[in-house]
Amino acid sequence: MCGICGILDLRDENRIDRTILERMNKKLAHRGPDAINYYQDHTIGLGFTRLSIVDPIGGMQPMANEDSSLVLLCNGEIFNYKELQKELILKGYRFKTDCDVEVILHLYEEYGEGLLDKLNGQFSFALYNKRKKELFCARDCAGILPFFYTEVNGLFIFASEIKAILEHPYVGREVDLTGLDQIMSFPGIISPRTMFRNIYSLEGGQYCIIGGGRKSIKQYWDLKYYEKEDRGEKFYQETLEELLHDSIQVRSQVDVPMGYYVSGGLDSSIIVSQGKKLNEQKTIQTFSADFLDHSISEGFYQEKMAKYVKSEHNRILVTNHDVIEHLEQVIYHSECPLKETFNVASFLLSNLVRQRGIKVILTGEGADELFGGYCEYVYDFFRKKQPSESEKVESRIRKQLFGDEDFFYEKKYAHFMDIKKLFYSNVLREKFKSFDSYQHFIIRKERIKELSHFNKRSYIDMKLRLSNHLLSEHGDRMSYANSVEARYPFLDKRVIEFSARIPYRYKLKMYERKSILKEIYENKIPEEIRQRPKFAFIAPGGAEILKQKNEYIQDMLSEERIKRQGFFHPKIVNKIRKSFLEGERVSVPYAEHIMMIILTFSIFTEIFKTKNI
């Protein structure tokens, strides 16, 4: 819906500089090109860039309550606002607009911090209480919309994107080494860390209260599984179908043109087929990214689904040249290094959406994590549980990370530690223990202590893969880069909570991944798509990019530049770079991903002018 930013003077010394606030807000213009607005007094400054979707005339922010004692900035949407409006009107509250986020103001007046239990949406907001001189900030349950912040010299500075925070002269530009090691080791950076030291991300399902002499960060929501419940398969199928239908319906209530991503897989096909039912009299708009390489192309299935719903289909073909040409733009918006190239495809796809005049897109993320879509959910049943005697170090690392020495996630971390240390510079090798991501927070282990492997993996995927990767630098940052709001029906709060009640045997019947969804939507989407095995969204591989004799790519990986930056080992990087360039076999495991991280990290440091080691 927009971009938000602000500065709270915790010392109340009248240090809100309007010029700085305007610079911060300008950095968020891509998130909200339709309008800008500000609120400022001697304690706080708030900036807003608007993408008009609901109540284009009356929904301007910052928004105040009736006596102007509360001032709100909210990025996102409250999907159950109509019901909340009715509830609040019965309690005597009056509404000045039909904008969804106005309910937050009156909910706060009625319930205080408990308002978060009432909301079903995708949002991050900052609510300023003038009387208390206190800021109440929160992020939605799934972590769809971002909220970044830092505290420096008695100022609390926040924004929807880090680049806005960096506009304040008090804020430094130093790499968070643990954040870098997280990208090397896991699907992405893990909140609350970012790639910038002392700049943090509020986690999904968290809120923060700061000002008036206090500061606290609390978890107001988290996934809770009910493994002993079983009300019969039919109940779960019928209820899930009803919840998904309603989730798609409420996300389709917009005052602007909207469309659908069609990947060619099950999840997006479910959403677009139901979306078509809601718009039977209209020709809907669908969008796909495809590739020349037949081994990663899903064009056949994308076209099949588009014909099935009789949509006006829009397709973009992404090439190696496109990846190189747009890599710098993508890293600027991602605000972190990348180990794959598919962010470029997402960026170009949202650009196509915007070119067609669409502001809202519905997409299928979340189903794999909730319903067992990845192959690991099956492999868990056949994997050797106890590591061998020679793997005692691996057992200790798994216990440290996940609270379970038998739980395998992505890779053998003991072996990978030696590999990644090979690429670090001598300086970083010497101080490795101080930033080793295995020794820092990644998940709340107590939440999954007694869970089955299936639900344990689901929880970890939701936290590490979805919230901190697919919804952040891949989702939010790539859609809003082109002023497009992505909405996620599978991540409706009610759907998430209900999915955690479904016995996993209905999600993985006879080792068939996402079997409950496939059974619900039998005869409702093309059979070839319904029965199709999971096909990950893959763009041209890093190896193909590293092989390109492109001056920019080779310069970013040059021995001189890597040595000057000081994070990676220049001779090792140069040796592997030459192997890719000359088409030689690279025997180092994970070399392709690591080299892509080093390449994009090099670009990252140039874009954001971070300090060298």
Side-chain angles (χ1 to χ4, degrees), residues 320 324 543-551 553-554 581:
N320 288 342
I324 295 171
E544 296 304 312
I545 305 307
L546 295 166
K547 289 175 184 176
Q548 301 293 312
K549 296 178 180 179
N550 178 276
E551 185 178 346
I553 297 295
Q554 299 309 319
L581 197 60

Side-chain angles (χ1 to χ4, degrees), residues 473-489:
E473 104 286 316
H474 175 58
D476 173 88
R477 246 44 55 80
M478 293 302 99
S479 60
Y480 273 108
N482 291 299
S483 309
V484 173
E485 179 178 280
R487 296 183 174 185
Y488 307 87

Side-chain angles (χ1 to χ4, degrees), residues 31 139 143-144 146 148 161-162 183 186-190 195 329-344 346-347 464-481 488:
R31 295 185 73 92
R139 193 175 177 200
I144 297 170
F148 298 105
E161 296 184 13
I162 296 171
I183 288 180
F186 304 110
I189 295 179
I190 302 165
M195 272 304 297
Q329 276 179 290
V330 164
I331 293 164
Y332 170 76
H333 286 289
S334 299
E335 301 178 330
C336 67
L338 309 169
K339 66 179 69 174
E340 305 109 344
T341 65
F342 60 61
N343 278 29
V344 176
S346 299
F347 173 79
L464 303 191
R465 191 182 306 281
L466 187 69
S467 180
N468 286 297
H469 172 47
L470 296 178
L471 296 179
S472 54
E473 104 286 316
H474 175 58
D476 173 88
R477 246 44 55 80
M478 293 302 99
S479 60
Y480 273 108
Y488 307 87

Side-chain angles (χ1 to χ4, degrees), residues 5 86 294 568 585:
C5 64
K86 291 176 183 177
H294 291 297
F568 295 100
R585 182 177 177 271

Side-chain angles (χ1 to χ4, degrees), residues 252-269:
S252 302
Q253 295 171 1
V254 294
D255 298 327
V256 295
M258 65 171 288
Y260 303 83
Y261 280 160
V262 173
S263 68
L266 175 70
D267 311 331
S268 65
S269 297

Side-chain angles (χ1 to χ4, degrees), residues 4-5 20 23-25 27-28 157-168 335:
I4 62 175
C5 64
I20 294 172
R23 288 210 312 264
M24 291 173 64
N25 212 31
K27 285 292 181 180
L28 302 173
I157 306 166
F158 70 89
S160 296
E161 296 184 13
I162 296 171
K163 57 183 67 69
I165 295 174
L166 294 174
E167 285 300 299
H168 200 290
E335 301 178 330

